[in-house]
Amino acid sequence: QVQLVESGGGLVQAGGSLRLSCAASERTFSMYTMGWFRQAPGKEREFVAAINWSGGSTDYADSVKGRFTISRDNAKNAVYLQMNSLKPEDTAVYYCAARKGPVVTTWYDYWGQGTQVTVSS
């Protein structure tokens, strides 16, 4: 099984930036599509961003386009989410996810435990 561990969450003022990291234990990590999801209090989990094995295909939720950037480093078995121009509505628990297959917004197979991001006004 693939184990995923997120880090980098915290408290930031509106307009600030954070970079989330996700470390994977899978030796064939480079073959997985990786995604980021988030869940805010009282809301359902929603798709944020995804990236394929080579980094050549990405997808973003409309709410984060132009502000967030997903990237990966297969040599380090890691995926990142650079979050800029943060807004209070970005406050949520952010989850790293993995799947074998193309970039999609759902049907991921493995999930991390999440990291809290809080954006204050």
Side-chain angles (χ1 to χ4, degrees), residues 30-81:
S30 63
M31 300 301 295
Y32 286 79
T33 287
M34 302 296 298
W36 287 96
F37 293 75
R38 67 187 183 186
Q39 186 167 19
K43 297 183 179 179
E44 295 184 354
R45 184 177 61 188
E46 65 176 349
F47 170 79
V48 175
I51 186 168
N52 78 334
W53 68 272
S54 69
S57 180
T58 59
D59 194 19
Y60 296 91
D62 289 341
S63 60
V64 306
K65 286 181 179 178
R67 299 189 298 120
F68 291 10
T69 302
I70 188 171
S71 62
R72 68 190 299 161
D73 186 339
N74 290 337
K76 297 181 178 180
N77 283 10
V79 63
Y80 308 98
L81 186 68

Coordinates of all heavy atoms in Angstrom, one line a residue, residues 30-81:
S30 N 6.7 7.4 -9.2 CA 6.8 8.1 -10.5 C 5.7 7.7 -11.4 O 5.4 8.5 -12.4 CB 8.1 8.0 -11.1 OG 8.4 6.7 -11.5
M31 N 5.0 6.6 -11.2 CA 4.0 6.1 -12.1 C 2.6 6.5 -11.7 O 1.6 6.3 -12.4 CB 4.0 4.6 -12.2 CG 5.3 4.0 -12.7 SD 5.7 4.5 -14.4 CE 4.4 3.8 -15.3
Y32 N 2.5 7.2 -10.6 CA 1.2 7.6 -10.1 C 0.8 9.1 -10.4 O 1.7 10.0 -10.5 CB 1.2 7.5 -8.5 CG 1.1 6.1 -8.0 CD1 2.2 5.3 -7.9 CD2 -0.1 5.6 -7.5 CE1 2.2 4.0 -7.4 CE2 -0.2 4.3 -7.0 CZ 1.0 3.6 -7.0 OH 0.9 2.3 -6.5
T33 N -0.5 9.3 -10.7 CA -1.0 10.6 -10.8 C -1.2 11.0 -9.3 O -1.7 10.2 -8.5 CB -2.3 10.6 -11.5 OG1 -2.1 10.5 -12.9 CG2 -3.1 11.9 -11.3
M34 N -0.9 12.3 -9.0 CA -1.0 12.8 -7.6 C -2.0 13.9 -7.6 O -2.0 14.7 -8.5 CB 0.3 13.2 -7.1 CG 1.4 12.1 -7.1 SD 1.0 10.8 -5.9 CE 0.9 11.7 -4.4
G35 N -2.8 14.0 -6.5 CA -3.7 15.1 -6.4 C -3.7 15.7 -5.0 O -3.2 15.1 -4.1
W36 N -4.3 16.9 -5.0 CA -4.6 17.6 -3.7 C -6.1 17.8 -3.6 O -6.7 18.3 -4.6 CB -3.8 18.9 -3.6 CG -2.4 18.8 -3.3 CD1 -1.4 18.8 -4.3 CD2 -1.7 18.6 -2.1 NE1 -0.2 18.6 -3.7 CE2 -0.3 18.5 -2.3 CE3 -2.2 18.5 -0.8 CZ2 0.6 18.3 -1.3 CZ3 -1.3 18.3 0.3 CH2 0.1 18.2 0.0
F37 N -6.7 17.6 -2.5 CA -8.0 17.8 -2.2 C -8.1 18.6 -0.8 O -7.1 18.7 -0.1 CB -8.8 16.5 -2.0 CG -9.0 15.8 -3.3 CD1 -7.9 15.0 -3.8 CD2 -10.2 15.8 -4.0 CE1 -8.0 14.3 -5.0 CE2 -10.3 15.1 -5.2 CZ -9.2 14.3 -5.7
R38 N -9.3 19.2 -0.6 CA -9.4 19.9 0.7 C -10.8 19.8 1.2 O -11.8 19.6 0.4 CB -9.0 21.4 0.6 CG -10.0 22.2 -0.3 CD -9.4 23.6 -0.5 NE -10.3 24.5 -1.3 CZ -10.0 25.7 -1.8 NH1 -8.8 26.2 -1.4 NH2 -10.9 26.4 -2.5
Q39 N -11.0 19.9 2.5 CA -12.3 19.9 3.1 C -12.4 21.0 4.2 O -11.6 21.0 5.2 CB -12.6 18.5 3.7 CG -14.0 18.4 4.3 CD -14.3 16.9 4.6 OE1 -13.4 16.1 4.8 NE2 -15.6 16.6 4.7
A40 N -13.3 21.9 4.0 CA -13.5 23.0 4.9 C -14.6 22.6 5.9 O -15.4 21.7 5.6 CB -13.9 24.3 4.1
P41 N -14.6 23.3 7.1 CA -15.6 22.9 8.0 C -17.1 23.1 7.5 O -17.4 24.1 6.9 CB -15.4 24.0 9.1 CG -14.0 24.3 9.0 CD -13.7 24.3 7.5
G42 N -17.9 22.0 7.7 CA -19.2 22.0 7.2 C -19.4 21.8 5.7 O -20.5 21.9 5.2
K43 N -18.3 21.5 5.0 CA -18.4 21.3 3.6 C -17.9 19.9 3.2 O -17.2 19.3 3.9 CB -17.7 22.4 2.8 CG -18.2 23.8 3.0 CD -17.5 24.8 2.2 CE -18.0 26.2 2.4 NZ -17.3 27.2 1.6
E44 N -18.2 19.5 2.0 CA -17.7 18.2 1.4 C -16.3 18.4 0.9 O -15.9 19.5 0.6 CB -18.6 17.7 0.3 CG -20.0 17.3 0.8 CD -20.9 16.7 -0.3 OE1 -20.4 16.7 -1.4 OE2 -22.0 16.3 0.0
R45 N -15.6 17.3 0.8 CA -14.3 17.3 0.3 C -14.3 17.7 -1.2 O -15.2 17.3 -1.9 CB -13.6 15.9 0.4 CG -12.2 15.9 -0.1 CD -11.6 14.5 0.1 NE -12.4 13.5 -0.6 CZ -12.2 12.2 -0.4 NH1 -11.3 11.7 0.4 NH2 -12.9 11.3 -1.1
E46 N -13.4 18.6 -1.6 CA -13.4 19.1 -3.0 C -12.0 18.9 -3.6 O -11.0 19.0 -3.0 CB -13.9 20.5 -3.1 CG -12.9 21.5 -2.4 CD -13.4 23.0 -2.6 OE1 -14.3 23.2 -3.4 OE2 -12.8 23.8 -1.9
F47 N -12.0 18.8 -4.9 CA -10.8 18.7 -5.7 C -10.1 20.0 -5.8 O -10.7 21.1 -5.9 CB -11.1 18.2 -7.1 CG -10.0 18.3 -8.1 CD1 -8.9 17.3 -8.1 CD2 -9.9 19.3 -9.0 CE1 -7.9 17.4 -9.0 CE2 -8.8 19.4 -9.9 CZ -7.8 18.5 -9.9
V48 N -8.8 20.0 -5.6 CA -8.0 21.2 -5.7 C -7.1 21.2 -7.0 O -7.1 22.2 -7.8 CB -7.1 21.5 -4.5 CG1 -6.2 22.7 -4.6 CG2 -8.0 21.6 -3.2
A49 N -6.2 20.2 -7.1 CA -5.2 20.1 -8.2 C -4.8 18.7 -8.4 O -4.8 17.9 -7.4 CB -4.1 21.1 -7.9
A50 N -4.2 18.4 -9.6 CA -3.7 17.1 -9.8 C -2.6 17.2 -10.9 O -2.5 18.2 -11.7 CB -4.7 16.1 -10.3
I51 N -1.7 16.2 -10.9 CA -0.5 16.2 -11.8 C -0.2 14.8 -12.2 O -0.2 13.9 -11.3 CB 0.7 16.9 -11.2 CG1 1.8 17.1 -12.2 CG2 1.2 16.2 -9.9 CD1 2.9 18.0 -11.7
N52 N 0.1 14.5 -13.4 CA 0.4 13.2 -13.9 C 1.8 12.8 -13.6 O 2.6 13.6 -13.0 CB 0.0 13.0 -15.4 CG 1.0 13.6 -16.3 OD1 1.8 14.5 -16.0 ND2 1.1 13.0 -17.5
W53 N 2.2 11.6 -14.0 CA 3.5 11.0 -13.7 C 4.7 11.8 -14.1 O 5.7 11.9 -13.5 CB 3.6 9.6 -14.2 CG 3.7 9.5 -15.7 CD1 2.7 9.5 -16.6 CD2 4.9 9.5 -16.5 NE1 3.1 9.4 -17.9 CE2 4.5 9.5 -17.9 CE3 6.3 9.6 -16.2 CZ2 5.4 9.5 -18.9 CZ3 7.2 9.6 -17.2 CH2 6.8 9.5 -18.6
S54 N 4.6 12.5 -15.3 CA 5.7 13.2 -15.9 C 5.6 14.7 -15.5 O 6.6 15.4 -15.8 CB 5.7 13.1 -17.4 OG 4.6 13.7 -18.0
G55 N 4.5 15.2 -15.0 CA 4.3 16.6 -14.8 C 3.8 17.3 -16.0 O 3.6 18.5 -15.9
G56 N 3.6 16.6 -17.1 CA 3.2 17.3 -18.3 C 1.7 17.5 -18.4 O 1.3 18.2 -19.3
S57 N 0.9 17.0 -17.5 CA -0.5 17.2 -17.5 C -1.0 17.6 -16.1 O -0.7 16.9 -15.1 CB -1.3 15.9 -17.9 OG -2.7 16.1 -17.9
T58 N -1.6 18.7 -16.0 CA -2.1 19.2 -14.7 C -3.6 19.7 -14.8 O -4.1 20.0 -15.9 CB -1.3 20.4 -14.1 OG1 -1.3 21.5 -15.1 CG2 0.2 20.0 -13.9
D59 N -4.2 19.8 -13.7 CA -5.6 20.3 -13.6 C -5.8 21.0 -12.3 O -5.2 20.6 -11.3 CB -6.6 19.1 -13.8 CG -8.0 19.6 -14.1 OD1 -8.2 20.7 -14.5 OD2 -9.0 18.8 -13.9
Y60 N -6.6 22.0 -12.3 CA -6.9 22.8 -11.2 C -8.4 23.2 -11.0 O -9.0 23.3 -12.0 CB -6.1 24.2 -11.2 CG -4.6 24.1 -11.2 CD1 -3.9 24.0 -12.4 CD2 -3.9 24.0 -10.0 CE1 -2.5 23.9 -12.4 CE2 -2.5 23.9 -10.0 CZ -1.9 23.9 -11.2 OH -0.5 23.8 -11.2
A61 N -8.8 23.2 -9.8 CA -10.2 23.8 -9.6 C -10.2 25.2 -10.0 O -9.2 26.0 -9.8 CB -10.5 23.6 -8.1
D62 N -11.4 25.7 -10.5 CA -11.5 27.1 -10.9 C -11.2 28.0 -9.8 O -10.7 29.1 -10.0 CB -12.9 27.3 -11.4 CG -13.2 26.7 -12.8 OD1 -12.2 26.3 -13.5 OD2 -14.3 26.5 -13.1
S63 N -11.5 27.6 -8.5 CA -11.3 28.5 -7.4 C -9.9 28.8 -7.1 O -9.6 29.8 -6.3 CB -12.0 27.9 -6.2 OG -11.5 26.6 -5.8
V64 N -8.9 28.0 -7.6 CA -7.5 28.2 -7.2 C -6.7 28.5 -8.4 O -5.5 28.8 -8.3 CB -7.0 27.0 -6.5 CG1 -7.8 26.6 -5.3 CG2 -6.8 25.7 -7.4
K65 N -7.2 28.5 -9.6 CA -6.4 28.8 -10.8 C -5.8 30.1 -10.8 O -6.4 31.1 -10.4 CB -7.3 28.7 -12.1 CG -7.7 27.3 -12.5 CD -8.5 27.2 -13.8 CE -8.8 25.8 -14.2 NZ -9.7 25.8 -15.4
G66 N -4.5 30.2 -11.1 CA -3.8 31.4 -11.0 C -3.2 31.7 -9.7 O -2.4 32.7 -9.6
R67 N -3.5 31.0 -8.7 CA -3.0 31.2 -7.3 C -2.2 30.0 -6.8 O -1.2 30.2 -6.1 CB -4.2 31.5 -6.3 CG -5.0 32.7 -6.7 CD -5.9 33.1 -5.6 NE -6.9 32.0 -5.3 CZ -7.1 31.4 -4.2 NH1 -6.3 31.7 -3.1 NH2 -8.0 30.5 -4.0
F68 N -2.6 28.8 -7.1 CA -2.0 27.6 -6.7 C -1.2 26.9 -7.8 O -1.7 27.0 -9.0 CB -3.0 26.6 -6.1 CG -3.7 27.0 -4.8 CD1 -3.6 28.2 -4.3 CD2 -4.5 26.0 -4.2 CE1 -4.2 28.6 -3.1 CE2 -5.1 26.4 -3.0 CZ -5.0 27.7 -2.5
T69 N -0.1 26.3 -7.5 CA 0.7 25.5 -8.4 C 1.0 24.2 -7.9 O 1.6 24.1 -6.8 CB 1.9 26.3 -8.8 OG1 1.6 27.6 -9.4 CG2 2.7 25.5 -9.9
I70 N 0.7 23.1 -8.6 CA 1.1 21.7 -8.2 C 2.3 21.3 -9.0 O 2.5 21.7 -10.1 CB -0.1 20.7 -8.4 CG1 0.3 19.4 -7.8 CG2 -0.4 20.6 -9.9 CD1 -0.9 18.4 -7.8
S71 N 3.3 20.7 -8.3 CA 4.5 20.2 -8.9 C 4.9 18.9 -8.2 O 4.4 18.5 -7.2 CB 5.6 21.2 -8.8 OG 5.9 21.5 -7.5
R72 N 5.8 18.2 -8.8 CA 6.3 16.9 -8.2 C 7.8 16.8 -8.5 O 8.4 17.3 -9.5 CB 5.5 15.7 -8.8 CG 5.8 15.4 -10.2 CD 4.8 14.4 -10.7 NE 4.9 13.1 -10.0 CZ 3.9 12.2 -10.0 NH1 2.8 12.4 -10.6 NH2 4.1 11.1 -9.3
D73 N 8.4 16.0 -7.6 CA 9.8 15.6 -7.8 C 9.9 14.1 -7.6 O 9.9 13.6 -6.5 CB 10.7 16.3 -6.8 CG 12.2 16.1 -7.0 OD1 12.5 15.1 -7.6 OD2 13.0 16.9 -6.5
N74 N 9.9 13.4 -8.7 CA 9.9 11.9 -8.6 C 11.1 11.3 -7.9 O 11.0 10.3 -7.3 CB 9.7 11.3 -10.0 CG 8.3 11.6 -10.6 OD1 7.3 11.8 -9.8 ND2 8.2 11.5 -11.9
A75 N 12.2 12.0 -8.1 CA 13.5 11.5 -7.4 C 13.3 11.6 -5.9 O 14.0 10.8 -5.2 CB 14.7 12.3 -7.9
K76 N 12.5 12.4 -5.4 CA 12.3 12.6 -4.0 C 11.0 11.9 -3.5 O 10.6 12.0 -2.3 CB 12.3 14.0 -3.5 CG 13.7 14.7 -3.8 CD 13.6 16.1 -3.3 CE 15.0 16.8 -3.5 NZ 14.9 18.2 -3.1
N77 N 10.2 11.3 -4.4 CA 8.9 10.7 -4.1 C 8.0 11.8 -3.4 O 7.4 11.5 -2.4 CB 9.0 9.5 -3.2 CG 9.5 8.3 -4.0 OD1 9.9 8.3 -5.1 ND2 9.4 7.1 -3.3
A78 N 8.0 13.0 -4.0 CA 7.2 14.1 -3.3 C 6.4 14.8 -4.3 O 6.7 15.0 -5.5 CB 8.2 15.0 -2.6
V79 N 5.3 15.4 -3.8 CA 4.5 16.3 -4.6 C 4.2 17.6 -3.7 O 4.2 17.5 -2.5 CB 3.1 15.7 -5.0 CG1 2.3 15.3 -3.8 CG2 2.3 16.6 -5.9
Y80 N 4.1 18.7 -4.4 CA 4.0 20.0 -3.7 C 2.8 20.8 -4.1 O 2.3 20.6 -5.3 CB 5.2 20.8 -3.9 CG 6.5 20.1 -3.6 CD1 7.3 19.5 -4.6 CD2 7.0 19.9 -2.3 CE1 8.4 18.8 -4.4 CE2 8.2 19.3 -2.0 CZ 8.9 18.7 -3.1 OH 10.0 18.0 -2.8
L81 N 2.3 21.6 -3.3 CA 1.2 22.6 -3.7 C 1.7 23.9 -3.1 O 1.7 24.2 -1.9 CB -0.1 22.2 -3.1 CG -1.3 23.0 -3.5 CD1 -1.6 22.8 -5.0 CD2 -2.5 22.7 -2.6

